[in-house]
Amino acid sequence: MNQVMNQVYPVIWQNNSVLLIDQTRLPNEYTLVEINRSEDMAEAIKNMIVRGAPAIGVAAGYGIYLGAREIETSDRSQFLVKLEETAKLLRATRPTAVNLFWAISRMLKTAYETVGKVSEIQQALLATAQAIHAEDIKTCKAIGDHGLAALPSKPDKLIILTHCNAGALATAGYGTALGVVRSAWSAGRLARVYADETRPRLQGAKLTAWECVQERIPVTLITDNMAAHCMKQGLIDAVVVGADRIAANGDTANKIGTYSLAIVAKAHNIPFFVAAPLSTVDFELTEGSQIPIEERHPGEIYQVGDTILTPPGVEFYNPAFDVTPAALITAIITENGAFAPQELYKANGGNNN
Ligand code: MRU
């Protein structure tokens, strides 16, 4: 696909349907998939047609509404029982990104708190799904602004290294880590992005590189094992990554490989930032060891297209995320400002819940 796009929106609400950019087909094909049923939304999340913590939350919000729309009863209690079944189906898709659970809880809260007929609850659910969607773009822009202020000051323009894809595709639009990159680019403070390719699913190579091309932000793609070398050569000024779930103490789960990146950044005295909305912070978890880590199919490691890469008899381990200890994180950039990990509660108005 050679065409360059201006704005990237991975989730679109149009004509009473959800349209998702099929992220498994980028960068070669830009395809929209129409979703009208909660079961199809659950499959789309599981199969990573839509992925990235905030985008999963937005998609799940609509998934609950689609489920609500399918329920054919005028009895409120029966409706709520069926809605809980939809919630269960959607919750079972991906365990690590807390935005999924956050959005479902917010939708259920709307359902329980709306007094009136079932049709009124359904309407209220659509309004909440749309609010989650709209808020996320604003949140990402605020993260971009705060991130810009938190970046190291230097006479030269900065080079930022990122991992996985925490861009427009992973949110409602704009992005978290790539939101900071976008804001730095607009402010004239960015020279270039270095993108880790991000084995095994290559979100950096396929998605981050694609987004940067759409925005005309200069991007250099490296394989994951090149980061330390690039840092040693003085090529990197800061690392900015997204998050799938952050514990109350600032320990951060993000795409596998983030932890080793944080270690090498520390070894080279390079600031390491996590950019994420407060909906990604799980204040119920005191530390990162409590975060559930998704394990995915080993085919992601041993197979590229139709080609099997490994000999028979090999065993595989394919955790999709790892946890970076708070001690390795310079600051967590939220919509309410950038905070040292141990002061993350301040981002939430001083509340640890
Ligand atoms: O498995 P994915 O592609 O859903 O993982 C995505 C990430 O790890 C992102 O960095 C994270 O969700 C933040 S997205 C703003």
Side-chain angles (χ1 to χ4, degrees):
M1 193 185 65
N2 295 321
Q3 189 193 349
V4 171
M5 300 175 59
N6 287 330
Q7 291 277 349
V8 173
Y9 297 114
V11 184
I12 300 162
W13 175 251
Q14 193 174 288
N15 299 332
N16 288 319
S17 298
V18 181
L19 301 177
L20 299 175
I21 297 179
D22 186 345
Q23 300 193 35
T24 64
R25 292 178 176 268
L26 286 172
N28 297 321
E29 272 178 55
Y30 178 89
T31 319
L32 293 174
V33 180
E34 185 176 323
I35 307 281
N36 286 300
R37 287 159 20 99
S38 55
E39 276 175 30
D40 295 336
M41 186 61 92
E43 279 304 299
I45 295 172
K46 203 183 272 179
N47 298 332
M48 297 176 66
I49 286 173
V50 60
R51 36 67 51 205
I56 291 171
V58 172
Y62 285 117
I64 291 283
Y65 168 67
L66 295 177
R69 190 168 82 169
E70 288 155 20
I71 302 169
E72 289 174 4
T73 178
S74 53
D75 181 87
R76 180 189 166 85
S77 316
Q78 275 179 16
F79 173 83
L80 291 172
V81 168
K82 291 264 175 213
L83 197 67
E84 289 284 1
E85 286 169 19
T86 304
K88 192 172 169 198
L89 176 83
L90 287 160
R91 278 195 203 104
T93 52
R94 297 197 71 189
T96 304
V98 76
N99 304 61
L100 172 74
F101 306 93
W102 170 86
I104 293 171
S105 298
R106 188 164 157 189
M107 293 294 288
L108 289 181
K109 187 166 184 281
T110 295
Y112 283 100
E113 287 180 355
T114 304
V115 278
K117 295 186 199 144
V118 163
S119 59
E120 288 168 285
I121 305 177
Q122 288 164 327
Q123 278 319 300
L125 284 171
L126 176 59
T128 301
Q130 289 177 308
I132 291 171
H133 194 177
E135 284 164 19
D136 188 67
I137 297 196
K138 283 194 197 152
T139 298
C140 284
K141 290 201 169 141
I143 289 172
D145 291 344
H146 291 302
L148 180 60
L151 287 172
S153 47
K154 227 186 114 185
D156 299 338
K157 291 183 181 182
L158 298 169
I159 300 183
I160 295 177
L161 172 65
T162 190
H163 188 70
C164 193
N165 172 265
L169 287 166
T171 60
Y174 204 72
T176 55
L178 274 193
V180 175
V181 162
R182 284 197 164 86
S183 296
W185 177 249
S186 307
R189 289 194 54 205
L190 184 79
R192 146 172 319 272
V193 175
Y194 271 62
D196 275 352
E197 69 171 350
T198 317
R199 278 280 288 159
R201 286 192 67 107
L202 302 173
Q203 289 94 329
K206 293 180 172 178
L207 307 179
T208 296
W210 181 78
E211 279 196 38
C212 289
V213 170
Q214 305 315 300
E215 293 273 326
R216 297 183 170 79
I217 297 173
V219 57
T220 300
L221 188 70
I222 57 172
T223 64
D224 302 334
N225 47 2
M226 295 174 185
H229 178 71
C230 293
M231 289 178 187
K232 183 120 195 238
Q233 287 187 311
L235 294 175
I236 310 295
D237 297 305
V239 180
V240 187
V241 298
D244 287 84
R245 196 185 293 224
I246 304 173
N249 71 344
D251 291 350
T252 294
N254 190 49
K255 181 53 55 192
I256 192 77
T258 303
Y259 176 28
S260 44
L261 197 56
I263 292 171
V264 292
K266 186 80 157 183
H268 293 89
N269 211 13
I270 290 170
F272 184 93
F273 297 99
V274 170
L278 283 171
S279 54
T280 301
V281 185
D282 188 345
F283 284 105
E284 283 178 13
L285 304 187
T286 50
E287 56 172 55
S289 61
Q290 298 160 334
I291 299 175
I293 299 295
E294 177 182 9
E295 253 186 72
R296 293 191 65 88
H297 192 277
E300 292 183 351
I301 300 179
Y302 67 67
Q303 194 165 358
V304 174
D306 293 334
T307 309
I308 305 290
L309 304 170
T310 54
V314 179
E315 290 181 17
F316 300 92
Y317 175 46
N318 186 21
F321 302 96
D322 57 26
V323 176
T324 299
L328 298 176
I329 299 169
T330 309
I332 298 177
I333 303 160
T334 73
E335 62 271 39
N336 289 345
F339 298 88
Q342 63 275 17
E343 299 199 327
L344 188 55
Y345 65 94
K346 290 186 181 167
N348 201 27
N351 294 320
N352 247 352
N353 51 49

